[in-house]
Structure formats: structure tokens, C-alpha cells
Amino acid sequence: GIQVEQSPPDLILQEGANSTLRCNFSDSVNNLQWFHQNPWGQLINLFYIPSGTKQNGRLSATTVATERYSLLYISSSQTTDSGVYFCAVERNQGAQKLVFGQGTRLTINP
Amino acid sequence: KAGVTQTPRYLIKTRGQQVTLSCSPISGHRSVSWYQQTPGQGLQFLFEYFSETQRNKGNFPGRFSGRQFSNSRSEMNVSTLELGDSALYLCASSLQAIGEQFFGPGTRLTVL
């Protein structure tokens, strides 16, 4: 099946810093989503981005489908950005719905 | 528009019991998927239902089953609970079979 790898696994930054999270996937996909998991466990949608670039406030994402990777950028980090960020992909064929990476745990210190 | 809702939010069961979890998708969404999250295995796909039919199934034993009703609400059932079934169970819905998925708050199951 398709493999999804996220890097780095852990990232510790000071408030105000910028960060880049990476997601590599092993095959072509129809869907790629970025999520932020809140402290209560709910996955919050950040981007639905099978290809191209999108921006939402301090967050932006780019997916280069031909090279099988996606990047999530967080600028001017705030302590509320802390948490685990997941990338997930979906293929039309195959038995899996969304296949998740292992996540990047981001800690923003004041 | 209301989001995906899941009930109950927390459950404590003992080994050997069975449990039923419920998921109500966003109004108009026809696809419902279930995922299990554990510290060791991460987020894993359980199954997907679309228009009352199971469309996909992940690599889980037959003790895990589900169904979808005509109003798109879905239930999943776990029989003969094991300690390893302790997990956060997440439900997601999407408008069509392929497309952006939206997750509910999850049901945290503890098996003692």
C-alpha cells in the first residue's frame, strides 16, 4: 500500500518563529489533507490540497504531486499552534480511505 | 451547518464485552469512514460506507463491523473486546466517495 512519511517527527520553536513541515508519499494520490489534532483528539481540517498552493492566514500549503510531497508552512508561530500535525492521502484505487503519516509534534514555547 | 457528531464521547468496558459507537455525518454527506488511533499504531482506517454499502475495509479482524443507515448515520460495533482495542475512534464524513473529509470529536474507548 501507499506509504506516507512526515518530517520532522518533533519540532520545538520559540513563539514568532516560522516552521516547515514535510509530507512525502510513495504513489500518486487523488486527495491530500493536512490536519491539526487538538488536545481533545479532534482532527481539525487545515487544507485540502491534492496539488498546488493554498494560503489561510498564517498557514499555507504546497503540494507537488509529480514529485510526491507536500509542505505545510506556519509563519509567526503562536503557542496555540502547538499540537500534532497530520498529513493524509487518499487514492481512488486500493482498500484504504485516508492513509495517515505518523505526524509532526510541534511545540511553540512562549 | 452542524459538524460530524459522535456518541458517546467516552466509554469504559471490560474484556469480552461488546460496544457500539455512533456517528452522524454532516447533513448531505453520504460517505462515512471510521478510523482507530492508538499511540503505537497511529491513525488506521477501519472501514468506509457510502449510500449504505461498505465500500472499503481496512486490515482489522472480523470483530470490528459497521453499518450505515438510510439517513447516512453510521454505527460501528466491536465484539469480544480486547485490551488492545482501547483507542480513540474517529469518524469522518465527506460529500461524495472521493473528497475532503471532516472529522468528528471521537469516542475514547477504554477496555479494562
Side-chain angles (χ1 to χ4, degrees):
Chain A
I2 192 168
Q3 305 297 315
V4 181
E5 293 183 4
Q6 291 186 242
S7 59
D10 292 280
L11 188 57
I12 301 174
L13 299 170
Q14 291 297 120
E15 202 167 22
N18 300 328
S19 57
T20 301
L21 284 58
R22 187 177 180 100
C23 171
N24 292 332
F25 44 97
S26 60
D27 209 336
S28 59
V29 299
N30 293 103
N31 174 13
L32 187 145
Q33 291 186 244
W34 283 97
F35 299 94
H36 179 208
Q37 190 163 38
N38 70 19
W40 298 272
Q42 184 163 7
L43 291 172
I44 307 300
N45 288 43
L46 297 177
F47 293 101
Y48 172 67
I49 186 166
S51 64
T53 298
K54 291 186 177 180
Q55 180 155 9
N56 184 5
R58 296 182 296 104
L59 274 62
S60 64
T62 294
T63 298
V64 184
T66 53
E67 298 187 21
R68 299 178 185 166
Y69 72 89
S70 183
L71 301 173
L72 176 68
Y73 305 96
I74 305 174
S75 64
S76 305
S77 299
Q78 302 174 358
T79 55
T80 52
D81 294 331
S82 295
V84 183
Y85 290 79
F86 288 100
C87 162
V89 301
E90 177 183 10
R91 302 190 68 201
N92 192 25
Q93 56 268 48
Q96 299 284 331
K97 186 65 171 173
L98 281 179
V99 178
F100 284 82
Q102 289 301 307
T104 292
R105 181 173 297 277
L106 177 65
T107 303
I108 305 298
N109 291 321
Chain B
K1 186 183 278 190
V4 179
T5 59
Q6 292 186 244
T7 57
R9 295 292 312 279
Y10 301 92
L11 264 180
I12 299 176
K13 293 285 189 179
T14 57
R15 278 181 301 173
Q17 287 187 309
Q18 74 165 13
V19 67
T20 299
L21 311 182
S22 180
C23 172
S24 292
I26 292 171
S27 178
H29 284 198
R30 297 165 63 194
S31 172
V32 174
S33 301
W34 290 89
Y35 299 82
Q36 181 197 65
Q37 186 177 27
T38 59
Q41 298 298 317
L43 279 151
Q44 293 186 290
F45 168 72
L46 279 157
F47 27 66
E48 177 204 3
Y49 288 88
F50 182 78
S51 294
E52 301 179 66
T53 301
Q54 187 177 87
R55 186 169 174 264
N56 285 311
K57 190 178 193 303
N59 188 25
F60 279 82
R63 300 185 297 107
F64 291 81
S65 63
R67 58 178 175 169
Q68 187 180 32
F69 301 96
S70 58
N71 62 357
S72 293
R73 190 178 70 86
S74 177
E75 289 181 346
M76 69 163 280
N77 183 276
V78 188
S79 62
T80 319
L81 284 166
E82 301 177 0
L83 295 179
D85 297 332
S86 294
L88 178 66
Y89 290 88
L90 293 164
C91 164
S93 77
S94 59
L95 192 61
Q96 297 294 339
I98 299 285
E100 186 175 10
Q101 292 195 48
F102 298 86
F103 281 79
T107 295
R108 194 168 295 277
L109 172 65
T110 301
V111 182
L112 302 176

